[in-house]
Amino acid sequence: MTVVTLNQERAGATAGSFASEPAGAILGDMTATLTSPTFVGRTEELARLAAAGERAAAGTPTAVLIGGEAGVGKTRLVGEVVAAARDNGATVLIGGCVELGGEGVPFAPLIEALRGVVQDLNVADPGGGGPALSTTPGPWSEQGRLFELFLGLLERLGEERPAVLVVEDLHWADRSTRDLLAYLVRNLRQGRLLLVLTYRSDELHRRHPLRPFLAELDRGRRVERLELARFGRAEVAAQLAGIQGAPVPADLAERIHARSGGNAFFVEELAAAAADGDLPPSLRDTLLARIELLGEPAQQVLRVAAAAGNRVDHDLLAEVAGLPEAELLAALREAVSAQVLLADAADGTYGFRHALVKEAVYGELLPGERTRLHARYAAALAARDVAGDPGPAAELAWHWYAAHDLERALPAAVAAGLAAERAFAFAEAQRQFERALELWERTGGDGQAEPRVGMDKAELLARAGEAAANSGAAERAVALVRSALAEIDAAAEPLRAAQLTERLAFHLRIVGRPGAFEAYQEAVRLVPPAPSEARARVLAGLGQTLMLRARFAEAAAVCEEAIAVARQVGARVVEGHALNSLGTAIVRLDQVARGLACLEDARRLAAGLGAAKDEARACVNLSDILEDLGRLQESVDVAAEGMEVAGAAGLRRTFGAFLAGNAASSLYNLGRWEEATSLTGAYLELGDDEDLNTVTLRQTRAVLDAGRGDFAAALAHVAAARRLSGDMFIAVQYPPVLSAAEAEVAAWQGRLEEAAAAVAGGLAALQGPLTDLRACMLLALGLRVEADRVALATARHDPDTVADARLVAAELLRWAGGALGGSEVAWKRALLATCEAEWARVQGQDDPGAWLAAVAAWEASGHPYPLAVARWRAAGALLARRGDRARAAGLLRQAHEGAVALGAGPLRGEVERLARLGRVDLGRDATAAAGPEGASPEGDGHAPAAEPPPGAELGLTPRELEVLTLVAEGRSNRQVADALFISPKTASVHVSNILAKLGVAGRVEAAAVAHRLGLTGGRPGP
Ligand SMILES: Nc1ncnc2c1ncn2[C@@H]1O[C@H](COP(=O)(O)OP(=O)(O)O)[C@@H](O)[C@H]1O
Ligand SMILES: [Mg+2]
């Protein structure tokens, strides 16, 4: 692949030993080179960079951050890396940040780096362009999409062959560039890519915006850092020898080392000065002294160039310098041959040999001269009509501002803001708009400003607010939109007032602040009744908010109105958005067929319009609802299709993650746990620990890990998901699902009180009806735990706890009846049957019939995990009742098969334990068979003597097992001693040994374990 030939040339001109290359007509006959021809030192740094390069080339994306003071040799070092990479056939992209009076130029280095690549790669249009005005809320910003697409581009580049992306001088970077680079470092997981970043470490004052960026990169531990030190004596001597072509006298090397401090750039400048005579008194004088030796026209050209951005093209320089062409060429030739300026033959631009020279020259400009030069640049650029191009537009705005021409700076700032906005550089857009607002005041207010800017102050404020919201400054957005509203007379301009109020509502919703809902209502009140797109949008916003608040009937009414208006005015995207909310709402009102049809329509509409976000959002809601209806395979299919749409549109990490969470949830319910695990794993890989978009993935993963017995992982996902969704405005189902995972873990671990607390917590956090299976599971888990509590408390003669557990259980059963009763959905019937069977257990009458009903219901619904659980319980109830043993054995074998197939470790363990105690042979492949002799009065003849006794896996001796059984019945040490004819002292020793072996803190917990092991029920009492 031939990539960025242009930049490869440029790299040759800015890095490495380039000075002897011809750089166009300007480059004169040069005798001595200022730039060191031989590369000196940096052995260790080169080795580390080579290692990083190898790691990258082997497929692990790697980032190296090089810091060092100006002139120390960062660019030169990077030049070596780049040359080596090219020799190895790598693609090299190079971009430098632009210094513009401390203001960033939107994406400048990346635009430079990518010039030409995009066409080469023939990047497909991601869709979602055209009419796809974004109707989907905030954390999924357009900028996020851009970042994801850029990431994909780099990954693809790295597929063809190793790629190196160099971004130099990050201390000048604009915020959007910093954000993008941070994103890349966080998210690059594949592709042979080496990212090399440089910055001036001496430039970073305490509040420099690069500091938090560097801190973030450090936190992620994904970057290697190099800090370039100055040269020592020997290196300075070597550098000087390179420059002179022969060793220099030791005393000269010594003096230059002392004076330069070992800064490679100053070594070169001092070497040049020394050749001319004595060393000047200061380093700055060293730079200026060489320039003062040049003719006046050359000096004039340098002053002009110093007021430009990093590089300036010939025509612009000529225009601003105002010199006759012949004189200009002569002056340029002189400056280039003195190696103060470098000419780039490829694009006809000039730049200073080093930014330090530029800064010195700029610093020497007289104030009036400086202002005049900026004004001339501004005038020249203005004539070029650069308003649409974010880089030049920013430059123009900066020149007018630096020229103190506030009248012109104002519209230029607005134009630069608009250009930045179009380039998705929202932070820069916000900065420009806010600058414009400041200028608005300074130039005398509305009468003056409005005609020049082409918009009034309210609109400027609104734009600033939108840009702020898009750059993640939602709080600022709220303030700006409020100011915009204050500028408007709602009576005179109800439409604008309504639109702004809708934006306010939207931003408030995104920051999770109160008042969003009221603001939507206010917007609806304000918007003129005549059909308009604005009216449709405002209604759709209110409808969505109502839907998210689970006020489904109201949501449906408002959405219907939004749809009607949208259809009248042909606002298709808004129509789709409202259809989506409507469908989601009315499914919850049991209008299933119609709701699904609405969602299908919304999806088709969005797809037809190329509105990828809306299409993905429709797939999110549709797959969610299909899952709730138990149409699991369809749910997986829709989610997978949505993932494809999202992936192609740069939404893989956002909507894609939500869709993957939905797909995984349905796979979990289908019993395809391995697929669910690898899918969630793959998508979790894409985000980091702070990524809000991983919430659904973690939620599904928590439930999955609880079922698989990876308890620590399950609880970690619960904690992370809770933390992340803390201030997110999200579906009402989240808290109960997370609590269900937590309760399941606690239940398997026999921590009954914690399990009960988790259930209570999940229900207390509920903000709407229970619709999700995993959330409803909370009720069954709650009943299961209360039944266990009853059993344990009964054994311990603790009537208070028994009564309490029964009260709680009755409440849970009532809740289950309300949430699940009377439904056509198979899993709801099955879950209700499970709850009823657990209720019988709560009553102390474990009922095989109730469990068999649950088994039949789960068989009908096709959810293998709860089915296996019900079979296990049914077998247990049959065995306890001395019921149909063959039936019990059959159920237990099926439960075992199911648990093994799922990978449901804890359930499998319980099934095997029950099989041992009940002396049921689980079959040849099972790891366990019958229990110890005498464990059950009715032998079935299969019991192999080799089978370990229950508790053996815990390392308990038979005697300890007996003691534990008694402890579990609530007996004191003395009672245990009496029962076993041992001394109380011996009994107490046994008890402490047991506690230690079980890893529990006290008798109560030990009792819980015993109970769970089935030790309490199966053994005859002493
Ligand atoms: N290792 C080196 N060997 C020889 N010359 C060097 C070395 N490092 C820097 N220089 C020279 O010093 C000057 C300043 O180096 P540069 O890489 O531009 O500094 P920085 O990018 O850190 O500001 C350049 O002319 C460069 O060629
Ligand atoms: Mg440099």
Side-chain angles (χ1 to χ4, degrees):
M1 186 179 53
T2 51
V3 188
V4 280
T5 339
L6 186 146
N7 279 291
Q8 289 171 355
E9 302 282 320
R10 160 70 66 74
T14 52
S17 49
F18 45 76
S20 58
E21 289 176 18
I26 282 309
L27 228 150
D29 46 335
M30 233 157 28
T31 44
T33 171
L34 195 66
T35 302
S36 319
T38 48
F39 185 82
V40 172
R42 309 291 186 215
T43 328
E44 193 197 321
E45 286 86 354
L46 281 174
R48 282 179 61 190
L49 282 161
E54 274 163 30
R55 194 158 359 115
T60 307
T62 303
V64 186
L65 191 59
I66 303 176
E69 66 177 14
V72 80
K74 301 179 294 295
T75 299
R76 183 69 185 262
L77 180 64
V78 168
E80 294 290 305
V81 175
V82 163
R86 290 224 177 90
D87 286 347
N88 293 333
T91 303
V92 177
L93 310 179
I94 299 180
C97 298
V98 176
E99 175 354 41
L100 258 198
E103 302 181 2
V105 180
F107 292 127
L110 300 150
I111 291 170
E112 182 185 355
L114 281 186
R115 204 169 285 152
V117 183
V118 178
Q119 294 96 300
D120 275 10
L121 279 176
N122 188 22
V123 177
D125 176 12
L133 80 159
S134 165
T135 52
T136 323
W140 311 312
S141 72
E142 294 297 336
Q143 198 176 56
R145 285 175 73 181
L146 176 77
F147 287 7
E148 184 169 316
L149 291 170
F150 189 79
L151 175 71
L153 181 75
L154 291 181
E155 286 175 346
R156 273 167 65 190
L157 266 181
E159 267 166 28
E160 299 220 4
R161 48 173 152 146
V164 181
L165 171 63
V166 177
V167 178
E168 279 239 68
D169 298 321
L170 276 180
H171 51 281
W172 290 324
D174 58 297
R175 154 95 185 272
S176 297
T177 296
R178 284 195 302 271
D179 287 349
L180 174 49
L181 290 173
Y183 175 87
L184 289 183
V185 169
R186 269 200 315 273
N187 290 295
L188 271 169
R189 297 293 152 78
Q190 65 197 51
R192 292 171 289 167
L193 186 79
L194 177 65
L195 199 59
V196 180
L197 311 173
T198 72
Y199 69 97
R200 274 194 199 174
S201 46
D202 53 339
E203 200 81 339
L204 302 187
H205 55 80
R206 213 160 43 82
R207 302 189 45 203
H208 195 285
L210 196 64
R211 282 190 182 272
F213 170 85
L214 297 175
E216 184 190 335
L217 293 196
D218 273 347
R219 254 199 313 282
R221 292 171 201 283
R222 294 222 176 89
V223 225
E224 186 154 341
R225 295 203 44 178
L226 288 182
E227 182 71 30
L228 288 196
R230 297 172 177 184
F231 283 155
R233 253 185 211 88
E235 287 155 324
V236 169
Q239 191 187 359
L240 287 170
I243 294 169
Q244 304 288 326
V248 293
D251 68 318
L252 179 63
E254 179 59 39
R255 264 166 52 224
I256 289 184
H257 173 251
R259 179 64 70 78
S260 67
N263 179 298
F265 170 77
F266 285 114
V267 170
E268 291 173 348
E269 289 291 327
L270 287 165
D276 297 330
D278 279 343
L279 292 184
S282 79
L283 288 173
R284 206 169 65 103
D285 289 345
T286 310
L287 303 187
L288 296 173
R290 283 212 308 118
I291 288 166
E292 276 156 18
L293 291 176
L294 304 177
E296 176 46 34
Q299 292 193 38
Q300 168 64 12
V301 163
L302 290 177
R303 285 194 290 271
V304 171
N310 281 17
R311 304 193 67 80
V312 52
D313 70 51
H314 184 94
D315 295 346
L316 187 57
L317 193 64
E319 209 175 324
V320 175
L323 291 171
E325 183 71 7
E327 203 173 321
L328 174 71
L329 281 176
L332 280 168
R333 199 181 299 273
E334 195 181 349
V336 168
S337 85
Q339 294 171 66
V340 181
L341 285 188
L342 295 175
D344 186 332
D347 63 0
T349 63
Y350 298 92
F352 280 85
R353 175 170 102 84
H354 196 279
L356 284 168
V357 187
K358 182 184 175 205
E359 285 157 23
V361 174
Y362 189 75
E364 286 297 294
L365 295 178
L366 300 169
E369 194 179 13
R370 199 178 284 178
T371 321
R372 212 168 46 246
L373 281 172
H374 284 302
R376 299 232 297 264
Y377 270 113
L381 282 170
R384 290 178 170 199
D385 189 20
V386 296
D389 200 338
E395 205 170 325
L396 175 59
W398 172 66
H399 281 304
W400 281 131
Y401 191 72
H404 306 304
D405 188 334
L406 307 188
E407 318 262 285
R408 291 195 174 89
L410 169 55
V414 171
L418 294 172
E421 196 180 79
R422 275 192 300 275
F424 303 111
F426 297 112
E428 281 59 53
Q430 184 197 347
R431 196 172 47 71
Q432 296 286 3
F433 290 141
E434 298 228 20
R435 156 80 47 88
L437 285 164
E438 168 208 325
L439 292 168
W440 191 288
E441 300 304 327
R442 286 170 61 187
T443 54
D446 298 354
Q448 300 294 312
E450 195 172 324
R452 281 199 312 276
V453 176
M455 59 176 82
D456 66 8
K457 194 171 169 201
E459 184 169 351
L460 186 52
L461 281 160
R463 291 226 173 232
E466 210 58 22
N470 278 317
S471 70
E475 296 282 356
R476 180 79 188 141
V478 167
L480 285 162
V481 174
R482 285 221 162 101
S483 307
L485 272 166
E487 292 286 320
I488 285 188
D489 176 2
E493 294 186 278
L495 181 61
R496 278 185 85 192
Q499 285 171 316
L500 282 171
T501 308
E502 188 267 343
R503 292 328 289 161
L504 177 65
F506 182 86
H507 299 321
L508 284 170
R509 180 151 74 78
I510 296 308
V511 285
R513 284 244 300 268
F517 184 61
E518 291 71 16
Y520 271 120
Q521 285 178 315
E522 169 75 0
V524 170
R525 202 181 55 72
L526 282 168
V527 75
S532 67
E533 173 159 352
R535 181 166 178 78
R537 183 182 300 279
V538 162
L539 287 166
L542 178 63
Q544 184 188 18
T545 314
L546 284 162
M547 183 272 284
L548 289 171
R549 294 195 160 204
R551 288 164 62 171
F552 299 127
E554 293 160 85
V558 173
C559 288
E560 305 243 29
E561 198 185 339
I563 292 164
V565 175
R567 283 189 181 144
Q568 267 174 291
V569 300
R572 309 277 290 165
V573 176
V574 184
E575 179 189 343
H577 187 263
L579 268 170
N580 189 332
S581 306
L582 174 65
T584 311
I586 63 179
V587 166
R588 306 301 184 201
L589 297 169
D590 280 335
Q591 300 178 35
V592 173
R594 199 179 143 233
L596 287 175
C598 286
L599 281 163
E600 291 287 7
D601 282 351
R603 182 181 171 191
R604 249 194 313 278
L605 222 157
L609 294 168
K613 277 189 189 181
D614 290 277
E615 190 180 353
R617 176 171 171 255
C619 291
V620 170
N621 287 341
L622 197 52
S623 59
D624 193 38
I625 283 167
L626 286 168
E627 178 187 349
D628 288 353
L629 293 170
R631 290 160 63 170
L632 300 176
Q633 186 57 52
E634 285 169 83
S635 162
V636 173
D637 293 344
V638 168
E641 286 154 18
M643 279 150 67
E644 241 169 71
V645 171
L651 300 167
R652 190 150 51 109
R653 285 168 175 74
T654 51
F655 281 91
F658 276 84
L659 286 158
N662 281 2
S665 177
S666 284
L667 288 169
Y668 163 83
N669 281 324
L670 277 168
R672 286 150 63 180
W673 287 12
E674 240 166 69
E675 283 168 79
T677 306
S678 67
L679 182 64
T680 46
Y683 272 81
L684 279 171
E685 267 284 284
L686 297 177
D688 60 22
D689 292 349
E690 299 307 318
D691 191 343
L692 277 180
N693 299 302
T694 61
V695 164
T696 32
L697 293 166
R698 291 182 185 281
Q699 172 184 267
T700 298
R701 198 50 184 263
V703 174
L704 194 55
D705 287 342
R708 294 192 314 167
D710 195 346
F711 297 144
L715 296 179
H717 284 303
V718 168
R722 281 211 178 113
R723 188 167 45 76
L724 291 175
S725 60
D727 34 67
M728 208 179 160
F729 191 92
I730 38 150
V732 292
Q733 304 294 320
Y734 282 42
V737 174
L738 296 174
S739 297
E742 200 177 29
E744 184 173 348
V745 168
W748 287 130
Q749 291 179 328
R751 294 183 289 115
L752 299 183
E753 300 303 323
E754 281 103 320
V759 170
L763 291 173
L766 199 57
Q767 296 167 12
L770 281 165
T771 53
D772 184 311
L773 166 62
R774 298 161 309 162
C776 293
M777 208 38 105
L778 202 52
L779 299 168
L781 279 164
L783 280 155
R784 163 178 163 185
V785 168
E786 297 310 328
D788 289 351
R789 283 179 75 214
V790 167
L792 190 59
T794 306
R796 287 158 46 194
H797 308 296
D798 175 0
D800 289 352
T801 302
V802 171
D804 173 67
R806 290 203 168 129
L807 262 174
V808 176
E811 180 60 27
L812 289 170
L813 186 69
R814 227 186 343 270
W815 206 321
L820 305 166
S823 171
E824 296 295 310
V825 177
W827 69 258
K828 290 193 178 171
R829 291 163 177 271
L831 191 55
L832 187 56
T834 290
C835 288
E836 281 160 355
E838 293 286 11
W839 172 247
R841 253 182 6 104
V842 171
Q843 301 303 102
Q845 290 151 3
D846 199 4
D847 177 4
W851 282 115
L852 288 170
V855 167
W858 284 119
E859 277 169 349
S861 84
H863 290 69
Y865 183 47
L867 171 60
V869 171
R871 282 175 170 155
W872 159 56
R873 288 288 188 199
L878 281 169
L879 290 173
R881 290 276 178 104
R882 312 282 182 262
D884 182 343
R885 273 196 64 78
R887 179 110 200 243
L891 285 163
L892 211 46
R893 277 186 211 109
Q894 283 179 310
H896 192 254
E897 259 168 41
V900 170
L902 287 164
L907 173 62
R908 178 181 177 177
E910 294 298 334
V911 168
E912 289 172 359
R913 226 162 255 139
L914 180 60
R916 265 194 313 269
L917 291 170
R919 307 185 64 200
V920 170
D921 185 358
L922 287 175
R924 251 176 307 149
D925 296 335
T927 55
E933 278 173 69
S936 161
E938 310 143 84
D940 59 6
H942 290 257
E947 190 53 34
E953 68 273 54
L954 301 171
L956 298 182
T957 64
R959 189 55 153 185
E960 284 167 349
L961 218 47
E962 285 172 331
V963 174
L964 177 57
T965 310
L966 294 167
V967 167
E969 286 167 8
R971 309 221 183 182
S972 66
N973 282 357
R974 167 153 299 279
Q975 289 169 319
V976 171
D978 289 347
L980 298 177
F981 308 105
I982 55 179
S983 74
K985 175 100 184 76
T986 309
S988 112
V989 170
H990 279 310
V991 170
S992 353
N993 286 345
I994 291 165
L995 297 187
K997 285 182 181 175
L998 297 182
V1000 296
R1003 315 168 68 87
V1004 175
E1005 264 181 83
V1009 174
H1011 180 79
R1012 187 158 51 77
L1013 296 181
L1015 293 176
T1016 46
R1019 290 183 69 86

